[in-house]
Amino acid sequence: MNRLQPLIVGAGPAGIRAAATLVQAGLRPVVVDEAKAAGGQIYRRPWLDDGRSAAALYGSEAPKATRLHAEFAALAGQVDYWPQSLVWNLRAGQADVVQEGRHRQCAFDGVLLATGATDRVLPLPGWTLPGVFTLGGAQIALKTQGCAIGRRTVFVGSGPLLYLVAWQYLRAGAEVAAVLDTAPLTAKAHLLRGLARDARVVLRGARYAAELRLRGVPLHFGVQQVQFEGTDRMTGVRWSKGAVACDAAGYGLGLRSENQLADLLGCQFVFDRRDRAWRVQRDDSGRSSVAGVYVAGDGAAIAGADAAELAGELAALTLLADRGLPVDAARKSHLQRRLAAIARMRDVLEAAFPFPAHWVDAIADSTAVCRCEEVSAGDVREAVQRFGVTELNRLKAVSRIGMGRCQGRMCAAGAAEMLAAATGQPIGAVGRLRGQAPVKPLPMGLGVADEESAA
Ligand SMILES: Cc1cc2nc3c(=O)[nH]c(=O)nc-3n(C[C@H](O)[C@H](O)[C@H](O)COP(=O)(O)OP(=O)(O)OC[C@H]3O[C@@H](n4cnc5c(N)ncnc54)[C@H](O)[C@@H]3O)c2cc1C
């Protein structure tokens, strides 16, 4: 009996490597990706060919981007590729997809989730003002449309993406008014350890910071009590030791995995203390706790693009092995060793760019936490006091936090931090919002496609 095709969700580095690995073994996967063109976040492509070269778009990562784009192009005719298609629900063996405003289903045998990450933020005064973007959002505007989010932009937050996006803006000719790093300068001493582990990563980051500095961009470290100012739209950023006028800001405090689809399939989760986040439980080969469900890339754990490629290939090899197909054991071990080395480097980066969890206590009651349902920090604190809430789903039930269009993708991390602080519990004890379909907003009046399945 013919088996159904395996499904890969996401065509970033993890999904592309996974697809290539399955094709090489003679399988024909279905690859569903929300983006218009394959490449994922880091190797995202412009919507229209606007003449920018790979070097202009991807800097030092241009050769990798070009190779991966070419690798996916070479799979044409050997995979069923569904671009601009969102998997909004997953059940055992069946995916619900929205494609160009039409509902489509895909039956599958085995699924590899390579759904990547999104920005992690804490609510701050003024963060919902027009002009305030996430760091990732600011970068997407630049990569896909070649446009800046403002005339004069400040970049605020923590993590390697902070310096990368500021540098990309500068290089594209935009005015960068300041970089406000929430980590103290002393935290950067951890990068010395990183030199021994992966000098290339450390030197690349140092180059971004140095170029920003040389081009006159002020870099401030240990920035506290940040607020975005303005009435109709933002006009500046203020912090405890200064202020800067600007009309836009890119803001982010690291990344969080997009793992709601694994939740819908019943996969177990584990709490990662270093990342202060729940991630899908997986073995060292990419298997989740549910048979036939594999996870890879930043959607499984934040580890960067190189790790995503390795993990995508590893999870695909595991899928093949579980189907009884021959797999090169030496290659698997090699991938596992390289992933372990990258994970050690992640420890360094997390120490150099720590998440400012202590900010939570200072969030003013009037600050919006859940922008979809307009729930403020004061509402969260009142719910805790009034109903004795100690768990995140209960907080959702009594406050409506995370009940809106984004399903908590933007507010859940901040709400969990607030709940932990308000109840005096460790962050891992407050739980996580259960995934619900649709995992992302759907268009109203969804049509039904004629074709019901790709298989
Ligand atoms: C906005 C943003 C910008 C980033 N920029 C950089 C950068 O410049 N440099 C860097 O080193 N790292 C960057 N990162 C980190 C980056 O995510 C990883 O290094 C790398 O891209 C991870 O690869 P991946 O394959 O795991 O996921 P991704 O590259 O994120 O690819 C996941 C793909 O899955 C798709 N997807 C997700 N959910 C669904 C769904 N439900 N249905 C269909 N498709 C879905 C997404 O649209 C995406 O195309 C960025 C992260 C973010 C969030």
Side-chain angles (χ1 to χ4, degrees), residues 163-189:
Y163 291 89
L164 171 63
V165 181
W167 177 81
Q168 287 172 329
Y169 264 63
L170 191 73
R171 226 174 52 127
E175 185 184 356
V176 179
V179 174
L180 309 182
D181 188 333
T182 62
L185 186 56
T186 50
K188 302 295 180 267

Side-chain angles (χ1 to χ4, degrees), residues 78-412:
Q78 302 172 83
V79 300
D80 287 318
Y81 173 41
W82 298 12
Q84 285 185 285
S85 304
L86 169 73
V87 177
W88 60 270
N89 189 24
L90 264 187
R91 296 163 274 162
Q94 182 114 310
D96 294 308
V97 181
V98 58
Q99 187 182 55
E100 291 174 20
R102 313 275 292 169
H103 177 66
R104 214 175 156 183
Q105 287 184 317
C106 174
F108 61 83
D109 181 1
V111 58
L112 201 153
L113 301 173
T115 43
T118 190
D119 295 87
R120 177 171 58 168
V121 290
L122 278 178
L124 293 179
W127 73 298
T128 54
L129 280 170
V132 183
F133 290 70
T134 61
L135 281 173
Q139 194 197 51
I140 289 171
L142 193 62
K143 276 188 185 164
T144 59
Q145 297 168 66
C147 74
I149 55 172
R151 288 201 160 79
R152 186 176 150 80
T153 305
V154 168
F155 293 94
V156 189
S158 185
L161 208 53
L162 176 69
Y163 291 89
L164 171 63
V165 181
W167 177 81
Q168 287 172 329
Y169 264 63
L170 191 73
R171 226 174 52 127
E175 185 184 356
V176 179
V179 174
L180 309 182
D181 188 333
T182 62
L185 186 56
T186 50
K188 302 295 180 267
H190 290 282
L191 293 171
L192 294 174
R193 275 191 294 138
L195 274 175
R197 293 195 177 155
D198 192 341
R200 192 175 157 263
V201 168
V202 177
L203 295 176
R204 199 171 49 206
R207 183 184 143 216
Y208 299 150
E211 271 190 42
L212 285 159
R213 203 78 192 85
L214 284 171
R215 299 268 300 269
V217 176
L219 310 182
H220 298 277
F221 297 92
V223 167
Q224 305 279 338
Q225 296 166 31
V226 174
Q227 45 185 302
F228 301 105
E229 296 185 316
T231 43
D232 295 338
R233 60 164 297 123
M234 78 163 302
T235 52
V237 184
R238 181 172 296 280
W239 67 103
S240 59
K241 292 189 178 156
V244 57
C246 59
D247 64 353
Y251 162 54
L253 300 168
L255 300 174
R256 48 160 288 273
S257 299
E258 290 278 32
N259 49 26
Q260 309 91 310
L261 292 176
D263 207 3
L264 297 183
L265 287 169
C267 295
Q268 284 180 9
F269 280 60
V270 289
F271 188 72
D272 185 325
R273 284 174 54 179
R274 188 200 64 193
D275 290 356
R276 302 177 73 82
W278 291 85
R279 58 176 173 75
V280 183
Q281 184 186 309
R282 58 172 171 170
D283 68 10
D284 64 359
S285 301
R287 282 185 198 90
S288 76
S289 60
V290 174
V293 180
Y294 306 85
V295 287
D298 275 3
I302 307 301
D306 293 348
E309 277 198 57
L310 300 168
E313 182 179 347
L314 178 64
L317 290 176
T318 308
L319 184 152
L320 293 169
D322 290 351
R323 282 190 171 211
L325 294 165
V327 161
D328 181 348
R331 177 73 188 159
K332 261 191 92 168
S333 308
H334 169 75
L335 295 169
Q336 285 166 329
R337 276 198 305 278
R338 286 194 57 198
L339 282 166
I342 292 176
R344 288 193 290 276
M345 184 63 191
R346 285 299 313 168
D347 290 339
V348 170
L349 293 178
E350 288 302 322
F353 299 96
F355 179 74
H358 61 284
W359 277 16
V360 166
D361 291 329
I363 296 174
D365 278 349
S366 56
T367 305
V369 177
C370 168
R371 61 203 302 169
C372 304
E373 293 293 311
E374 298 184 356
V375 183
S376 69
D379 296 333
V380 171
R381 292 181 179 126
E382 193 197 328
V384 171
Q385 287 235 315
R386 197 155 145 220
F387 301 103
V389 176
T390 56
E391 193 271 333
L392 202 54
N393 292 287
R394 183 81 192 119
L395 179 66
K396 176 178 175 178
V398 300
S399 70
R400 297 194 59 80
I401 209 154
M403 242 185 234
R405 295 176 78 233
C406 92
Q407 294 278 295
R409 288 174 63 245
M410 292 310 293
C411 67

